[in-house]
Amino acid sequence: MVSSIVVALLPQIVVAATSIVVMLMIAAKRMYTPSFWVTTTGLTVAFVVMIVARAAQPEVGPVSIFFALDGASRFMGALVLAVNILTALLSYRYYRDYDDNREEFHLLLLLETLGSLVLVASSHFVSFLLGLELLSVPLYGLLGYVRDRDHPFEAATKYFVLTAGASAIIVFGFALIYYQTGTLSLPELSQKLTTGLDAVTAAGLVLVLAGLAFKLAVFPFHMWAADVYQGSPLPSTAVIATASKIAVFAFLYRFLGPMLHPAAGASVLHSLDLAITVLAVASMLGGNLLALRQTNVKRLLAYSSTANLGYLLIPLAAGSPQSLHSAFFYLAVYAAANMGILGTLTLSSTSASESTELDDYTGLLYRRPVVSAGFILMALSLAGLPLSAGFFGKLYLFEAGMAAGRWVLIGVFVAGSVIGLYYYLRLVFVQLSRSPVVETGTPGTPTPTALTDTAANPGALVTLAVTFVFVLGIGIFPQQLLSLLRTVGM
Amino acid sequence: MSLVYLLLLPFVGGVLAAVIALKSRTWAHAVMMIAVVAMGVIVGIDFGVTGAAMASASGGSAAASGGSLRYLLETNAPWIPSLGISFHLGADGLTFVLLALTVVLGIVSLVASWRSTREHEAFYLLSIGLVISGVTGVFIAADLILFFLFWELMIVPMYFLISAWGGKGRERAAMKFFLFTQASGLLMLLSMIGLYLAHGSSTGTYTFDLAALSSWSSGAAASVPMVLLFTGFVIAFGVKLAVVPAHAWAPDAYAEAPTAGSILLSGLLLKSGAYGLLRFSIALFPAQTRQIAPVMLILGVITILYGGILAIRQTDIKRIIAYSSIGHMGFIILGLFSWTTLGYTGAIVMILSHGFTTSALFFVSGALEDRIGIRDIDGMGGLRKVVPRLAGAGTAFLVFALALPGTGNFLAEFLVLTGTFQVDIPIAVLGVVGSILSVIYALRAVHRVFDGVRKGEGKAEDLRAHETVALAALAVLVVWIGVLPGPVIKAAAPDRAAQLQTTVPYLGQGGGNG
């Protein structure tokens, strides 16, 4: 029994051990390339172990009251590890010529990964808080990692102040819940709530929901997202756009999923459902509308993430086991497309300067056709067009929402998707347009800067290649991922 | 299996051509042309073999088939079993006729782009190959999700064509085109999922297969959800056909697209809307299709009048053709929703002859623009002396477009209006007024462009040999459809052809046992 638990926890153990190794390496002698290889290897081993462990032991009972090592936590854990491996690859060339301390980036990345892994598996408030802080605290460092530019510091400060507030709100919410129900364990909590919902517990639930919505940048709580995305160094943007979203969303699902299940008590179901619906509608409309006029790719992705998290709340509100699968499918596809786009941006960026303006990519198709094909595929996947994974993601979400009869949410989803098309297509259009000077007729238009030389960031190319294969592969043969998700339970 | 080849040929041809285009643009075009021609050969052989088999099997009893789907050629493989989606392709006579149209217009669009030099030839040919593949997929898909996939797939390369090689307003035009078609497409997707869920919950099998869904839904009572589901499909098809309240994308997209794009857009992409109504609305929602017929007749006639009136007021030659094209789509709507044999066959004839005529007109206007650099008819005039062959072709096709007797356009309008007359006399009368409008704009265009005094200076090159041949072939096709429509009607609608023969004998002729 003990050995099986150790095997099940091995990925977390590997990541923790790797972070200690990297820390000791830094203490002994700063070596950038070896620390990169140790980090990447550690994360990759953890990823493989996660998959092997799942195949060997599909069901591990509850390890303790703190962790649930079920199908969902392992799927999400594997996803978190995958995006962090890609982030590590992105960062290598990005920080290679950075003349301050570079190795701590890897340490922070490993700690953040560990936090995410804890978060996706936590089934108790204490382990949740541990995971959340282990994710958030390294993120402050990651976001502000480049110290000789102003924007990263601004991004880190903004994120720190606002997200610390959100954490406090969550803790207060849980305090209220604990006061009334006497439990901090999530399964026990949803058990107790089937009998009814009183005002104090309801207030607690709303506070926790608001705090989580804040971390996810769901609409009324999205204000920090665009500035933080834009200001942070690209590899850190990748973390906040993918790993942190995956981890917090997985916890949100574990926390609220059982309460939104049709079997839950009617009063809980009704009030939570209303809250989730309002958040989803606001996010889908607000995120998409705000993204319309962005001219910076990172800001555009930030608002698009708000919209996409709104879409992801639909299966949560739908509340059936199939809808869990559709949410996970969508999240995986969404993360892949985001990684792909951020990988493309990283190709022509370093810690000294970044090319993230939309205009930088004018005519990219004709300069670098292969890279541009990848970028276009990612944009089309986010827009939900066929032969990209995004299409099946949307199809699956539609089906989950319609099967549950959530017509309002589906209607807003369609409206949001149509608005979203506009800005995703602009990502495509700039790459197709030939010369910016002819385009606007004004001679003062700056010439595109991104990817004008043949310099390449091998890590970013690998990231783009991996996400390209994933998005196109799932777009043509989604059955494998669907079958895998069928076996995932929470 | 050969249906899969049809799908792959233009795509593979496009990829090969793109690779070759980096070395030689002539060879790249040749490869693309060979791919499309090969596709035509396969279509011909398939239809020859399966059509003969069907004729000998069913004898004279084709009339009994009714509205049910009977494919001459099928491919079915599981694709995404857990969602009930299969890779199901099927082709019947109507499909083969439309595939033949696809091949012809594919060839014409390649001929039209042979001469003009442009940047980034590789990507251009790849996009054309993808459009043709997508359109082919739409015509042969027998699974709803597969159909939707190709439906979207043909939009994306068309968006590329407009936004990379379009005219001055290309960004706006491409965006409008994409948003309209995609928004309506999403509604159709919702309807498809709704149908899938309704079918699944009542029968226990969850599937997107067209045959399974149609045999279930045609038996289901006309309840409110069915009307809603039907609306999703009709909106998508109506937008694609540019029926009047949903037409706003069409003139811009036509006018700004490069010549080959306009040809494919008007000749094929629009026709996919008509095909959707013919195949999906009637197979999946027979009762609802009849219910909305009065509304659609009104919309159809408004489309005819609107297209005609706006075509008269345009000075941009491509916009004249665009509005004329919109007007002709109104005739297709009238024909289909008149729910008569005459109207139905008229709509099919219109799909073909409009495809040939309009693509020829876009060909001519593109050739004119290449040579004299403008599209505004106020700046033209007297071109008959400068470019006699081009002027002759332009005049001929404009006169064809106004429905000269003996052409397919005339036959189509005649059948449609006669069919409409049987159900709704005022609508038919207004439709006739619409035909008169087409005389005004067509003759006005002929007069302003080719006759009168030459305004510009200098010489211009006349049509080259390959262009002349392509246009002549299109003219022959238009006349052939008009004079001898029997085989086409028989192939596309065997049951209707038999009925038709009792009323209009010469139309049902041809094809052996009619």
Side-chain angles (χ1 to χ4, degrees):
Chain A
M1 184 60 201
V2 172
S3 68
S4 75
I5 289 176
V6 171
V7 170
L9 280 171
L10 210 48
Q12 284 85 344
I13 295 172
V14 170
V15 174
T18 314
S19 62
I20 293 170
V21 170
V22 170
M23 199 169 7
L24 292 175
M25 280 174 69
I26 294 171
K29 185 176 191 301
R30 289 190 174 276
M31 293 176 295
Y32 183 59
T33 309
S35 95
F36 163 74
W37 283 113
V38 169
T39 306
T40 317
T41 314
L43 289 171
T44 312
V45 168
F47 180 72
V48 173
V49 167
M50 183 74 92
I51 289 168
V52 173
R54 183 175 175 279
Q57 297 173 279
E59 286 305 319
V60 188
V63 175
S64 64
I65 55 165
F66 295 115
F67 295 108
L69 293 175
D70 50 12
S73 75
R74 280 140 150 220
F75 180 81
M76 287 310 208
L79 202 56
V80 162
L81 286 167
V83 296
N84 276 300
I85 294 169
L86 296 178
T87 307
L89 290 177
L90 288 186
S91 68
Y92 178 69
R93 184 62 65 98
Y94 187 88
Y95 284 118
R96 195 188 54 179
D97 300 324
Y98 180 58
D99 40 6
D100 207 332
N101 295 334
R102 297 169 296 181
E103 293 77 12
E104 277 85 352
F105 181 85
H106 298 135
L107 181 60
L108 293 170
L109 191 69
L110 285 165
L111 289 173
E112 167 270 316
T113 309
L114 187 60
S116 303
L117 289 178
V118 169
L119 202 49
V120 297
S122 57
S123 61
H124 192 276
F125 176 62
V126 170
S127 53
F128 160 70
L129 199 63
L130 176 74
L132 189 68
E133 293 308 302
L134 204 47
L135 166 67
S136 300
V137 174
L139 256 179
Y140 309 145
L142 287 172
L143 292 175
Y145 201 78
V146 178
R147 291 193 301 162
D148 47 6
R149 283 191 285 141
D150 290 341
H151 292 300
F153 182 70
E154 181 200 332
T157 313
K158 219 166 226 173
Y159 187 72
F160 171 68
V161 171
L162 293 174
T163 203
S167 293
I169 290 172
I170 293 175
V171 174
F172 183 51
F174 264 107
L176 290 179
I177 294 172
Y178 182 69
Y179 169 75
Q180 203 65 21
T181 62
T183 181
L184 287 174
S185 148
L186 302 185
E188 275 182 40
L189 178 62
S190 53
Q191 200 69 42
K192 292 206 169 170
L193 290 185
T194 49
T195 51
L197 188 65
D198 58 284
V200 177
T201 319
L205 282 176
V206 166
L207 288 176
V208 176
L209 183 59
L212 291 173
F214 208 97
K215 304 264 178 190
L216 289 170
V218 166
F219 180 67
F221 310 102
H222 65 285
M223 300 81 68
W224 57 272
D227 290 344
V228 171
Y229 266 59
Q230 188 184 16
S232 57
L234 269 163
S236 311
T237 317
V239 172
I240 204 156
T242 57
S244 99
K245 294 250 156 68
I246 295 167
V248 176
F249 185 77
F251 177 77
L252 180 69
Y253 221 108
R254 197 177 287 285
F255 176 53
L256 293 182
M259 299 181 203
L260 286 159
H261 197 274
S267 60
V268 187
L269 187 64
H270 180 74
S271 32
L272 265 182
D273 189 282
L274 187 67
I276 295 281
T277 307
V278 168
L279 283 178
V281 168
S283 249
M284 290 190 270
L285 291 178
N288 276 317
L289 289 173
L290 286 167
L292 279 181
R293 302 199 58 85
Q294 302 305 321
T295 55
N296 180 292
V297 181
K298 280 166 135 190
R299 292 187 78 86
L300 191 151
L301 283 183
Y303 288 117
S304 133
S305 86
T306 297
N308 277 287
L309 261 301
Y311 304 155
L312 277 167
L313 292 178
I314 296 175
L316 185 60
S320 62
Q322 289 87 342
S323 62
L324 170 82
H325 302 151
S326 69
F328 283 15
F329 188 96
Y330 195 84
L331 198 54
V333 165
Y334 168 75
N338 264 277
M339 270 326 275
I341 291 181
L342 291 169
T344 314
L345 300 187
T346 313
L347 265 178
S348 61
S349 302
T350 62
S351 57
S353 75
E354 294 189 350
S355 306
T356 60
E357 291 299 321
L358 205 50
D359 286 339
D360 294 340
Y361 294 87
T362 305
L364 183 68
L365 182 70
Y366 313 114
R367 289 201 301 277
R368 299 286 289 272
V370 178
V371 172
S372 179
F375 196 168
I376 289 176
L377 181 75
M378 299 306 149
L380 294 181
S381 180
L382 284 175
L385 287 166
L387 290 197
S388 69
F391 169 67
F392 287 107
K394 282 218 164 119
L395 178 68
Y396 212 11
L397 281 194
F398 273 139
E399 198 216 326
M402 289 175 75
R406 308 305 303 245
W407 298 108
V408 174
L409 287 175
I410 291 296
V412 179
F413 186 9
V414 169
S417 299
V418 173
I419 302 170
L421 271 180
Y422 179 81
Y423 58 85
Y424 294 131
L425 280 183
R426 274 180 56 212
L427 286 179
V428 177
F429 186 82
V430 287
Q431 301 180 54
L432 293 179
S433 55
R434 285 191 299 259
S435 60
V437 182
V438 174
E439 184 63 27
T440 54
T442 49
T445 313
T447 46
T449 57
L451 293 162
T452 42
D453 51 4
T454 50
N457 177 340
L461 282 178
V462 171
T463 302
L464 192 56
V466 168
T467 51
F468 186 86
V469 169
F470 180 83
V471 169
L472 192 64
I474 299 296
I476 299 173
F477 302 109
Q479 185 59 50
Q480 271 67 24
L481 187 53
L482 290 174
S483 307
L484 177 71
L485 281 169
R486 285 274 144 122
T487 64
V488 166
M490 195 171 246
Chain B
M1 201 56 205
S2 51
L3 287 176
V4 180
Y5 295 141
L6 285 182
L7 210 52
L8 286 178
L9 255 175
F11 170 66
V12 173
V15 172
L16 276 180
V19 173
I20 295 170
L22 302 175
K23 295 265 178 243
S24 151
R25 63 181 300 279
T26 314
W27 277 106
H29 271 268
V31 165
M32 193 65 226
M33 185 66 95
I34 289 167
V36 178
V37 170
M39 189 184 150
V41 172
I42 295 183
V43 170
I45 293 174
D46 278 350
F47 182 62
V49 173
T50 57
M54 180 200 70
S56 63
S58 63
S61 66
S65 70
S68 71
L69 294 160
R70 287 190 322 164
Y71 293 117
L72 299 175
L73 196 59
E74 253 184 297
T75 301
N76 199 348
W79 181 27
I80 311 170
S82 62
L83 290 177
I85 302 171
S86 55
F87 190 78
H88 188 183
L89 303 174
D92 63 356
L94 173 64
T95 315
F96 279 116
V97 168
L98 290 169
L99 287 177
L101 178 71
T102 309
V103 170
V104 170
L105 295 190
I107 292 172
V108 171
S109 69
L110 285 172
V111 174
S113 44
W114 198 288
R115 179 180 177 279
S116 61
T117 50
R118 68 180 68 74
E119 291 176 84
H120 316 300
E121 195 73 34
F123 183 49
Y124 179 83
L125 288 171
L126 182 63
S127 300
I128 288 191
L130 285 174
V131 172
I132 297 176
S133 266
V135 172
T136 307
V138 163
F139 290 149
I140 62 180
D143 179 279
L144 294 190
I145 293 299
L146 198 61
F147 173 78
F148 182 78
L149 193 134
F150 289 121
W151 180 268
E152 302 274 286
L153 216 54
M154 65 183 179
I155 302 174
V156 176
M158 183 53 77
Y159 172 83
F160 291 163
L161 279 177
I162 299 175
S163 52
W165 294 277
K168 282 198 186 68
R170 61 180 180 269
E171 179 169 13
R172 201 178 135 77
M175 184 66 81
K176 233 168 152 183
F177 161 70
F178 205 104
L179 287 184
F180 266 82
T181 44
Q182 173 78 14
S184 61
L186 280 178
L187 294 178
M188 178 166 73
L189 182 62
L190 285 189
S191 289
M192 286 173 172
I193 300 172
L195 200 59
Y196 162 85
L197 292 172
H199 174 260
S201 63
S202 84
T203 64
T205 31
Y206 284 88
T207 175
F208 279 106
D209 194 75
L210 175 61
L213 290 175
S214 85
S215 62
W216 170 78
S217 69
S218 53
S223 54
V224 175
M226 288 299 272
V227 172
L228 278 177
L229 296 179
F230 178 54
T231 315
F233 280 90
V234 168
I235 290 175
F237 298 143
V239 168
K240 211 36 151 325
L241 261 177
V243 177
V244 151
H247 66 287
W249 62 273
D252 284 352
Y254 283 149
E256 300 302 337
T259 304
S262 306
I263 291 173
L264 294 174
L265 197 54
S266 66
L268 294 176
L269 265 69
L270 250 79
K271 300 309 168 7
S272 64
Y275 172 76
L277 286 172
L278 276 167
R279 168 79 9 110
F280 287 82
S281 304
I282 293 174
L284 290 173
F285 307 97
Q288 290 77 10
T289 308
R290 284 205 83 151
Q291 274 176 0
I292 62 154
V295 180
M296 292 305 284
L297 285 178
I298 294 172
L299 289 182
V301 83
I302 291 176
T303 306
I304 295 174
L305 295 174
Y306 177 90
I309 292 169
L310 267 87
I312 293 175
R313 302 190 54 85
Q314 302 303 313
T315 58
D316 178 335
I317 184 138
K318 273 187 113 171
R319 282 186 184 270
I320 297 178
I321 306 169
Y323 281 106
S324 137
S325 185
I326 290 174
H328 283 109
M329 291 304 107
F331 281 104
I332 294 183
I333 296 283
L334 278 195
L336 288 180
F337 286 94
S338 71
W339 209 258
T340 58
T341 297
L342 288 171
Y344 186 89
T345 43
I348 290 174
V349 174
M350 181 58 100
I351 287 176
L352 293 174
S353 64
H354 171 266
F356 299 140
T357 316
T358 308
S359 59
L361 285 174
F362 277 122
F363 192 125
V364 167
S365 70
L368 268 179
E369 195 187 352
D370 272 355
R371 284 157 172 90
I372 58 175
I374 50 167
R375 297 204 308 243
D376 193 331
I377 60 171
D378 289 338
M380 299 182 185
L383 290 176
R384 198 176 298 285
K385 293 192 191 73
V386 187
V387 281
R389 282 201 296 276
L390 185 54
T395 311
F397 282 104
L398 279 167
V399 173
F400 289 171
L402 66 79
L404 180 76
T407 61
N409 300 53
F410 170 75
L411 178 70
E413 288 188 19
F414 173 75
L415 287 175
V416 166
L417 291 172
T418 317
T420 313
F421 193 81
Q422 294 170 355
V423 291
D424 194 331
I425 294 172
I427 295 276
V429 170
L430 286 172
V432 173
V433 174
S435 309
I436 295 169
L437 291 176
S438 70
V439 176
I440 301 177
Y441 67 70
L443 292 182
R444 171 173 170 269
V446 169
H447 181 70
R448 299 275 288 274
V449 176
F450 299 118
D451 300 331
V453 185
R454 173 95 166 99
K455 295 206 179 77
E457 285 296 311
K459 282 185 180 290
E461 189 191 5
D462 203 356
L463 284 182
R464 291 188 181 181
H466 63 270
E467 295 171 322
T468 317
V469 170
L471 286 172
L474 284 175
V476 169
L477 285 172
V478 176
V479 174
W480 179 61
I481 298 277
V483 176
L484 203 65
V488 169
I489 295 175
K490 205 170 158 47
D495 47 328
R496 303 299 184 118
Q499 267 175 287
L500 198 60
Q501 204 183 7
T502 58
T503 41
V504 194
Y506 95 100
L507 292 176
Q509 282 167 13
N513 57 357

